[in-house]
C-alpha cells in the first residue's frame, strides 16, 4: 500500500497585500489547514496573499492532493514551483520528485484577489485559504494514476473499468472485489479497459446507499476504490434511477459558515446533510462550484444525490464570449468530471449558472461544454440552471431542463402586499412553454427572510412570508408529475458581499436560507417538512425516513 501522510493541522502563516517574494517571507503567525484566513482576526475581510508553510518528512516520487483553495494559488516544494491552483474549489493532484528522504518545505500561496474566473459580482463571498485536506502519498515509480468504474447494467451488476498507469508499459494487474473474488488482467500501453461482474451485488440508491470496493494492485502500488452500482437515465419527462422513477427534493447549498468560511469541517457537513435528510430530502445542488472530495464521499455513504457544477456564475459578454473563458470552462468541466467519476452520488453535472442562454451565440458554448463532459462520462445527466425562462434557446442541448424562477419574490412591485398568489400561475406558464419531451426541474426558487424577524401580516423579509412562499412552491412542484425535481434556494444563509449596502443583501448575506448561517432553522423549515410529508414526491423518494411530529416533541 502507499504511504499516506495527511498534512492537515497548524501551519505557519503570513499575509501580504502584494505578491510575496518567497525568500523574504516572515512567517509570523500560525493558522489551521484546512481553513480560511479571511474569516478570522487579524485578516478578517482582507484581500491579498495568504501564505501557508510546513515541513514534511518524505522523499522520492510523491503525489500531493489539495482539496480546493480560494480564490487561486500556487504550490512550492523546497522553493521550486510545482504547480498552479487556477480554479477556486477545484481539487488538484500534483505528481513530482520530492528529492532525498528527509525534511522538505511545502509552501502553498493562496490569493483571494478576484480574477477572470471568480468575478467580484458573484453573489457569494470569495473566501481565501485552503478549503480541504492536503494529503501526500509516496509512490513507486510505476504507479496507478487513475481508476474509473461505472455501471453498464444495474440489473446484472455488469461494470466497466479503466485503469491508467504512470508508464506506457505492459504489466499484470491484480483486481480484488470486496475482498473476495480475484481476477487478473494485463495492462497494455499503460492502460486497462475491461468489464467485470459483481456477484451478490447490492444496488446504490438514496434509501440503500450500498457500496462495493475494488482493490487494484500494480507492481508495488495498490489502491482501493469505493463504488456504487446504479444507473441514471431519462425517459421522456421522467428521471429513472435503476429503472425506477426518481424525483428530487432538496437544496442548493453553499460551503459557507461565519467561523469557517468555505472550509467547513466534515462534522458540519455531516450535520447539514443529516438535517436535510431528516426533512425527507434526497438531493443537493452543490452551488456553484466543485464540491470537496470529503463531501462527495459523505454523500455516497449517506445516499444523497448531487448536482455538481463548474464555477462560472452569471458571466456576461464580452467575458462570456471570449475564447479564454471557454477554454477555462472546458478545462474545469473535464477536471471535475474526472475527479468525481467514481462517486455514485453525482447524477447531474452542470456549468454556467444563469448564463445568457437567450442569445444564439451561447449555443456553441453550451454544446462544447456538454460534449466535453459527455466525452469523459457517458452516463451522467448534463445541464445548466437557466433564468432565461421562455426566452431560453438552449434547452434542446441538455438532458434536463432546469430553471431558476423566483415568483413571489423577484416579480412583485413595491406596492404589492404579497407575491404568493403569483407562484402557481407563473410556474404553470413556464411549464406550458417548455419542450414537452424532456424532464424539467426547478433548480432554484425562494425568497429572503431575516432570521428572527416576525410579522403578523407576513410582511416581506419575515419568516412567515418565506414559509408561506416556499410552501406554495413546494406544494406545486412536489405534487405535479411534470416536475422531476425541486431544489430550494437555499439551505442556509450564506455570506455574499462584505458590505450589506448592496440592494437585497442586508447584513452582507444572501438571506434566502431556510436556516440562518449558524444552521438555526427558520419557520420555512418545518413548513417544508410538512409539505414533503404530504407530497406525491415522498412516494418516489426510495425509503428516506422523514421526521414525524412525534420525533420533534
Ligand atoms: C440566482 C443565483 C443564486 C442567487 C439567487 C438570489 O438565482 O443563481 O446564486 O444569487 O439568484 O438569491 O437572488
Amino acid at each position: 500500500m502507499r504511504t499516506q501522510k495527511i498534512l492537515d493541522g497548524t501551519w505557519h502563516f503570513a499575509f501580504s497585500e502584494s505578491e510575496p517574494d518567497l525568500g523574504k517571507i516572515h512567517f509570523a503567525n500560525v493558522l489551521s489547514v484546512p481553513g480560511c484566513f479571511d474569516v478570522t482576526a487579524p485578516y478578517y475581510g482582507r484581500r491579498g496573499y495568504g501564505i501557508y508553510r510546513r515541513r514534511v518528512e518524505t522523499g522520492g516520487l510523491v503525489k500531493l492532493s489539495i482539496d480546493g483553495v480560494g480564490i487561486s494559488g500556487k504550490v512550492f516544494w523546497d522553493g521550486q514551483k510545482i504547480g498552479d491552483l487556477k480554479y477556486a474549489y477545484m481539487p488538484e493532484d500534483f505528481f513530482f520528485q520530492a528529492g532525498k528522504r528527509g525534511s522538505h518545505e511545502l509552501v502553498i500561496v493562496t490569493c483571494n484577489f478576484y480574477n477572470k474566473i471568480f468575478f467580484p459580482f458573484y453573489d457569494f463571498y470569495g473566501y481565501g485559504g485552503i478549503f480541504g485536506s492536503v494529503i501526500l502519498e509516496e509512490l513507486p515509480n510505476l504507479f496507478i494514476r487513475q481508476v474509473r468504474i461505472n455501471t453498464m447494467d444495474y440489473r446484472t451488476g455488469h461494470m466497466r473499468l479503466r485503469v491508467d498507469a504512470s508508464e506506457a508499459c505492459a504489466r499484470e494487474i491484480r483486481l480484488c472485489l470486496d475482498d473476495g473474488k480475484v481476477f487478473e488482467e494485463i495492462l497494455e500501453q499503460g492502460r486497462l479497459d475491461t468489464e467485470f461482474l459483481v456477484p451478490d451485488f447490492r444496488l446504490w440508491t438514496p434509501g440503500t446507499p450500498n457500496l462495493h470496493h475494488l482493490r487494484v494492485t500494480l507492481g508495488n502500488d495498490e489502491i482501493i476504490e469505493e463504488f456504487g452500482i446504479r444507473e441514471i437515465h431519462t425517459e421522456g419527462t421522467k428521471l429513472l434511477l435503476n429503472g425506477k422513477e426518481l424525483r428530487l427534493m432538496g437544496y442548493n447549498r453553499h460551503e459557507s459558515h461565519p467561523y469557517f468560511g468555505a472550509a467547513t469541517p466534515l462534522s458540519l457537513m455531516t450535520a447539514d446533510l443529516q438535517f436535510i435528510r431528516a426533512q425527507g430530502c434526497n438531493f443537493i445542488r452543490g452551488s456553484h462550484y466543485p464540491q470537496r472530495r470529503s463531501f462527495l464521499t459523505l454523500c455516497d455513504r449517506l445516499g444523497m444525490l448531487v448536482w455538481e457544477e463548474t464555477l462560472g456564475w452569471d458571466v456576461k459578454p464580452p467575458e462570456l464570449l471570449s475564447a479564454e473563458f471557454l477554454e477555462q470552462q472546458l478545462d474545469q468541466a473535464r477536471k471535475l468530471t474526472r475527479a468525481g467519476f467514481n462517486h455514485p452520488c453525482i447524477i447531474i453535472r452542470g456549468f454556467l449558472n444563469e448564463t445568457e442562454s437567450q442569445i444564439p451565440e451561447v449555443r456553441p458554448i453550451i454544446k462544447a461544454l456538454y460534449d466535453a463532459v459527455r466525452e469523459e462520462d457517458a452516463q451522467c445527466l448534463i445541464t445548466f440552471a437557466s433564468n432565461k425562462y421562455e426566452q431560453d434557446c438552449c434547452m434542446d442541448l441538455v438532458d434536463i431542463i432546469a430553471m431558476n424562477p423566483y415568483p413571489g419574490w423577484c416579480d412583485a412591485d413595491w406596492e404589492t402586499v404579497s407575491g404568493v398568489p403569483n407562484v402557481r400561475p407563473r410556474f404553470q406558464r413556464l411549464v406550458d412553454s417548455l419542450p414537452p419531451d424532456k424532464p424539467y426541474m426547478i433548480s432554484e426558487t425562494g425568497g429572503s427572510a431575516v432570521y428572527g424577524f416576525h410579522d403578523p401580516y407576513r410582511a416581506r423579509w419575515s419568516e412567515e412570508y418565506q414559509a408561506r412562499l416556499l410552501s406554495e412552491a413546494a406544494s406545486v412542484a412536489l405534487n405535479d408529475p411534470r416536475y422531476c425535481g425541486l431544489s430550494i434556494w437555499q439551505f442556509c444563509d450564506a455570506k455574499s458581499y462584505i458590505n450589506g449596502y448592496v440592494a437585497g443583501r442586508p447584513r452582507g448575506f444572501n438571506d434566502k436560507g431556510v436556516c440562518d448561517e449558524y444552521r438555526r432553522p427558520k419557520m420555512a423549515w418545518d413548513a417544508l417538512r410538512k409539505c414533503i410529508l404530504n407530497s406525491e414526491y415522498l412516494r418516489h423518494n426510495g425509503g428516506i425516513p422523514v421526521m414525524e411530529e412525534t420525533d420533534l416533541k
Side-chain angles (χ1 to χ4, degrees):
M1 280 297 275
R2 298 177 177 192
T3 320
Q4 195 184 66
K5 294 175 197 285
I6 297 176
L7 304 180
D8 298 353
T10 313
W11 290 39
H12 294 285
F13 184 81
F15 178 80
S16 163
E17 275 172 356
S18 54
E19 179 126 36
D21 177 345
L22 269 201
K24 295 196 182 128
I25 299 168
H26 173 51
F27 288 92
N29 211 342
V30 290
L31 279 184
S32 112
V33 172
C36 288
F37 63 81
D38 49 5
V39 291
T40 177
Y43 316 107
Y44 178 83
R46 292 178 71 180
R47 299 230 163 255
Y49 296 83
I51 309 132
Y52 295 79
R53 185 191 71 175
R54 65 159 289 158
R55 296 205 70 84
V56 187
E57 278 294 321
T58 191
L61 185 62
V62 297
K63 170 182 171 185
L64 180 72
S65 305
I66 304 173
D67 199 0
V69 302
I71 286 180
S72 62
K74 291 187 171 99
V75 186
F76 297 87
W77 185 258
D78 291 335
Q80 298 299 311
K81 186 170 146 191
I82 57 161
D84 288 303
L85 298 152
K86 228 170 129 182
Y87 309 113
Y89 296 90
M90 183 68 82
E92 296 277 4
D93 294 332
F94 301 99
F95 297 88
F96 61 98
Q97 285 292 345
K100 277 207 193 107
R101 182 152 299 278
S103 170
H104 297 269
E105 184 196 60
L106 171 62
V107 173
I108 303 179
V109 179
T110 65
C111 169
N112 69 349
F113 284 132
Y114 294 110
N115 57 29
K116 294 273 180 192
I117 302 160
F118 199 126
F119 289 88
F121 57 78
Y122 285 3
D123 183 12
F124 43 99
Y125 194 71
Y127 290 104
I130 301 176
F131 300 165
S133 286
V134 181
I135 298 172
L136 185 117
E137 285 178 318
E138 293 173 0
L139 302 172
N141 280 336
L142 173 63
F143 64 89
I144 302 158
R145 200 175 273 282
Q146 205 192 11
V147 175
R148 297 190 193 201
I149 307 168
N150 64 308
T151 309
M152 287 180 72
D153 191 343
Y154 74 90
R155 291 161 301 189
T156 53
H158 195 173
M159 308 299 289
R160 182 176 287 127
L161 169 71
R162 168 171 287 185
V163 181
D164 280 307
S166 57
E167 289 167 23
C169 57
R171 281 289 289 265
E172 194 165 273
I173 191 160
R174 190 170 182 271
L175 304 152
C176 175
L177 194 57
D178 294 329
D179 291 324
K181 184 179 165 187
V182 175
F183 50 112
E184 266 153 26
E185 299 265 359
I186 303 289
L187 195 81
E188 274 168 39
Q189 298 283 328
R191 170 168 284 184
L192 168 70
D193 273 312
T194 188
E195 292 164 15
F196 64 95
L197 271 178
V198 184
D200 307 322
F201 67 92
R202 287 152 289 134
L203 288 176
W204 187 95
T205 73
T208 55
N210 296 308
L211 293 165
H212 292 270
H213 297 89
L214 185 70
R215 184 188 294 264
V216 183
T217 315
L218 173 67
N220 291 328
D221 197 17
E222 183 167 285
I223 57 175
I224 299 173
E225 241 0 278
E226 196 167 71
F227 66 95
I229 304 179
R230 62 107 183 99
E231 265 182 271
I232 184 85
H233 285 300
T234 67
E235 205 175 273
T237 58
K238 307 268 179 254
L239 295 187
L240 301 182
L241 182 71
N242 305 329
K244 290 204 187 103
E245 184 179 350
L246 172 72
R247 292 227 213 147
L248 308 172
M249 169 62 202
Y251 289 92
N252 286 272
R253 178 180 174 279
H254 268 302
E255 279 299 339
S256 184
H257 185 283
Y259 299 155
F260 309 115
T264 54
L266 185 58
S267 52
L268 180 67
M269 293 175 178
T270 312
D272 284 358
L273 291 185
Q274 292 288 6
F275 195 37
I276 289 169
R277 212 172 125 88
Q279 206 190 29
C281 294
N282 61 4
F283 177 76
I284 294 289
R285 175 167 173 233
S287 47
H288 293 292
Y289 33 72
Q291 300 298 292
R292 298 243 300 282
R293 300 307 95 185
S294 49
F295 181 79
L296 294 172
T297 301
L298 181 61
C299 290
D300 286 344
R301 295 180 183 178
L302 197 63
M304 192 60 84
L305 300 159
V306 174
W307 161 330
E308 190 177 40
E309 69 189 29
T310 58
L311 178 65
W313 187 94
D314 216 349
V315 179
K316 304 252 181 303
E319 278 81 9
L320 174 64
L321 302 178
S322 74
E324 188 195 1
F325 182 78
L326 179 59
E327 192 259 306
Q328 286 167 349
Q329 283 294 322
L330 289 169
D331 193 28
Q332 277 196 70
R334 290 190 188 106
K335 279 189 169 192
L336 202 55
T337 310
R338 279 178 210 149
F341 193 84
N342 293 341
H343 288 284
C345 65
I346 305 176
I347 54 164
I348 302 177
R349 298 185 186 278
F351 38 74
L352 296 185
N353 178 68
E354 297 191 343
T355 190
E356 299 301 285
S357 48
Q358 80 288 18
I359 57 171
E361 294 91 315
V362 170
R363 282 181 63 84
I365 300 177
I366 291 181
K367 174 86 173 74
L369 282 163
Y370 183 98
D371 290 347
V373 176
R374 182 58 76 227
E375 209 179 305
E376 295 291 333
D377 185 341
Q379 204 194 87
C380 68
L381 306 178
I382 307 172
T383 193
F384 65 96
S386 165
N387 66 342
K388 298 304 178 290
Y389 317 122
E390 285 85 348
Q391 279 70 49
D392 197 297
C393 64
C394 299
M395 286 181 278
D396 58 314
L397 300 174
V398 293
D399 300 323
I400 309 180
I401 299 168
M403 294 270 171
N404 295 355
Y406 280 84
W409 187 255
C410 289
D411 55 352
D413 59 46
W414 300 109
E415 282 297 303
T416 313
V417 177
S418 171
V420 175
N422 299 350
V423 172
R424 242 164 236 271
R426 178 65 191 116
F427 278 6
Q428 191 56 47
R429 278 200 310 283
L430 193 49
V431 159
D432 291 343
S433 75
L434 301 175
D437 55 341
K438 282 206 174 184
Y440 167 55
M441 71 177 288
I442 294 185
S443 34
E444 290 182 24
T445 193
S448 300
V450 172
Y451 178 80
F453 170 48
H454 293 282
D455 184 90
Y457 304 106
R458 294 189 188 136
R460 273 161 192 275
W461 295 91
S462 68
E463 290 195 26
E464 286 81 359
Y465 186 80
Q466 187 197 38
R468 181 78 195 84
L469 180 67
L470 289 180
S471 300
E472 184 73 354
S475 67
V476 177
L478 297 183
N479 295 302
D480 181 343
R482 181 64 187 96
Y483 298 81
C484 68
L486 169 66
S487 135
I488 302 283
W489 184 269
Q490 61 178 330
F491 167 59
C492 66
D493 293 346
K495 193 177 183 65
S496 181
Y497 310 102
I498 188 77
N499 274 315
Y501 81 92
V502 182
R505 299 293 176 265
R507 315 182 303 128
F509 277 74
N510 183 313
D511 287 298
K512 294 191 186 76
V514 169
C515 301
D516 78 351
E517 62 274 25
Y518 297 101
R519 280 57 177 172
R520 294 176 298 187
K522 303 178 191 171
M523 287 175 72
W525 181 265
D526 209 42
L528 280 170
R529 185 185 62 84
K530 287 182 182 138
C531 289
I532 292 171
L533 264 176
N534 296 316
S535 70
E536 263 288 296
Y537 147 82
L538 202 59
R539 292 202 296 116
H540 296 273
N541 91 339
I544 299 171
V546 187
M547 246 195 294
E548 301 272 357
E549 289 304 313
T550 44
D551 300 322
L552 294 166
K553 281 176 191 147

